[in-house]
Amino acid sequence: MLSSDLTILHIVFISISLLGGMAAIYFWIKVYEDTRRGSVAWLLLALTAIFLITTAIFPALAVGNPDQNVVETILLFLGFWSAVYTSIFAAAGFLMFRAFKTIPRQNLGDFLIEGMVFRKAEQKTSEYDPNDAENIARLLQWSTLIEYTPKTRYEDSVIEMCLRFYGETMNVVLVSTEPRTSVYKDRLGELVDIGAMKFIELSCIEEELVEKDGVIMLPMSELDHFFDLTSKLPAGCALIFEPLSHMLLTKGEDLTYSFVSRMVEDFASKGILLVGMVNSLAHPKEVIGKFEGLFVNIAEESEDSIKIVKGGKEEFVHFYAGKRFFLENETEK
């Protein structure tokens, strides 16, 4: 047993530890809440503070208890507790370390404060800024229909847009069909792993809504569930709907028009940027014109850029990789 003086001193230290630990829990939880559920690392640090409290209290209980079984149980539980919470502390460090490896350095502050759901950027003035010409979130704002031909590299442009949106701190949802879904997942899988991107595949094989290897499989016969899947998307994210031509050929003009019309209206009301893609040579001009009327912006894909027709003024999204691009690099190896 401890002497009376040491017991009083030990009680003082335990009290300080308890108050400090409770304050740490409170502050880290407030950081997590005030950053609108930002990096999970903040919450893990709050859990770690619980362990710091127990390391002060449990030994005191073990020292002051004459029952050997109770002492052994406390020490065993303390060992288990330390393994759990040191692992949690290591996980918090891993999240921070991975952020420095995967998040662009200029966006690290946004990641730590807002996690992977970034708030929509403040609206800029209407004055044209030439330094902002390559900001595709601005060029494609509201909704854009990109028209491509079978000879253009539209798969590469989809990858380009996903990476550029991510670089501009926007979450992305990509809707596609096989075999292109596998191609996109191979090239963009790291964005899925860190939670910056989601895949939705329109499937003619699956009969019910399932998720396989990070891809949400939506049966073509259950298209109404698409709006259930996207109902909780936050404002300021982007959705790229690639299989518009596929839908026109398999579901017909009327059903596809009704679906796209609802999609454009729904996303516009939520502040979600929508990019649709259609093969301009696969459908009659009057059909293409009908769908053009649903979108705010119309764009045409060329060899190494996307030309945007916007209010009579042409602007471009230039491909960073030029003529040698994602898919071509793979086939040339």
Side-chain angles (χ1 to χ4, degrees):
M1 298 291 292
L2 297 175
S3 65
S4 58
D5 292 339
L6 289 178
T7 300
I8 294 175
L9 188 60
H10 193 57
I11 292 174
V12 172
F13 289 153
I14 291 176
S15 300
I16 295 174
S17 175
L18 181 61
L19 293 175
M22 293 177 64
I25 295 171
Y26 172 79
F27 288 126
W28 286 123
I29 291 179
K30 290 296 293 181
V31 167
Y32 181 69
E33 291 180 348
D34 291 345
T35 55
R36 298 186 180 182
R37 301 183 183 277
S39 175
V40 182
W42 308 132
L43 193 58
L44 295 180
L45 290 174
L47 293 176
T48 306
I50 300 175
F51 166 69
L52 299 178
I53 295 174
T54 60
T55 56
I57 296 177
F58 284 8
L61 296 176
V63 170
N65 198 303
D67 191 332
Q68 184 67 24
N69 292 330
V70 173
V71 173
E72 291 176 355
T73 302
I74 291 176
L75 293 177
L76 180 62
F77 186 69
L78 184 60
F80 168 77
W81 210 239
S82 65
V84 171
Y85 280 99
T86 50
S87 298
I88 291 176
F89 192 69
F94 172 75
L95 289 177
M96 296 293 189
F97 174 78
R98 188 172 185 180
F100 278 88
K101 291 294 184 181
T102 59
I103 307 298
R105 188 166 294 274
Q106 65 271 22
N107 297 327
L108 273 174
D110 290 333
F111 168 75
L112 295 176
I113 297 299
E114 300 177 357
M116 275 301 164
V117 180
F118 297 99
R119 288 195 294 267
K120 188 176 182 180
E122 296 181 359
Q123 295 292 333
K124 299 180 180 180
T125 60
S126 57
E127 183 180 357
Y128 175 69
D129 183 3
N131 296 325
D132 198 35
E134 285 299 318
N135 187 311
I136 67 171
R138 181 188 68 82
L139 296 177
L140 305 180
Q141 63 181 333
W142 304 113
S143 62
T144 302
L145 179 64
I146 298 177
E147 300 175 4
Y148 63 88
T149 66
K151 294 184 179 180
T152 54
R153 298 162 19 211
Y154 78 94
E155 295 93 349
D156 282 337
S157 65
V158 170
I159 298 172
E160 170 86 20
M161 286 188 290
C162 291
L163 293 172
R164 297 277 286 278
F165 280 133
Y166 169 65
E168 294 168 15
T169 67
M170 294 182 68
N171 292 113
V172 183
V173 178
L174 175 57
V175 184
S176 184
T177 57
E178 283 289 10
R180 289 178 295 278
T181 302
S182 297
V183 174
Y184 296 141
K185 192 170 186 299
D186 178 64
R187 298 293 176 167
L188 302 168
E190 290 186 359
L191 299 187
V192 178
D193 294 339
I194 62 176
M197 186 174 177
K198 294 290 185 182
F199 280 97
I200 298 178
E201 179 182 325
L202 301 187
S203 176
C204 297
I205 300 175
E206 298 294 336
E207 297 181 354
E208 59 181 14
L209 184 65
V210 294
E211 182 173 350
K212 294 183 178 180
D213 299 327
V215 179
I216 300 173
M217 312 290 288
L218 176 63
M220 291 289 287
S221 58
E222 302 288 342
L223 287 177
D224 286 342
H225 287 304
F226 175 82
F227 297 100
D228 296 330
L229 292 173
T230 58
S231 61
K232 295 183 180 181
L233 288 178
C237 70
L239 185 140
I240 302 175
F241 192 87
E242 186 238 50
L244 182 53
S245 287
H246 179 79
M247 277 195 66
L248 278 168
L249 296 175
T250 57
K251 291 296 182 179
E253 178 184 341
D254 293 339
L255 189 149
T256 304
Y257 183 85
S258 176
F259 177 85
V260 175
S261 178
R262 179 182 174 185
M263 183 169 57
V264 171
E265 182 178 355
D266 186 46
F267 291 165
S269 65
K270 296 178 180 179
I272 297 172
L273 190 154
L274 173 65
V275 178
M277 304 193 70
V278 64
N279 185 341
S280 60
L281 300 182
H283 316 285
K285 290 184 179 180
E286 56 270 20
V287 174
I288 297 296
K290 184 177 179 180
F291 281 87
E292 287 178 345
L294 295 175
F295 291 82
V296 176
N297 307 314
I298 309 299
E300 299 174 354
E301 184 172 331
S302 60
E303 185 179 5
D304 58 356
S305 64
I306 296 174
K307 181 174 70 174
I308 303 169
V309 181
K310 189 176 181 180
K313 180 179 179 179
E314 293 183 353
E315 295 180 290
F316 292 86
V317 174
H318 296 283
F319 294 164
Y320 280 163
K323 294 183 179 181
R324 288 178 55 84
F325 213 58
F326 299 102
L327 303 184
E328 293 179 2
N329 289 344
E330 180 71 16
T331 57
E332 289 174 4
K333 290 181 180 180

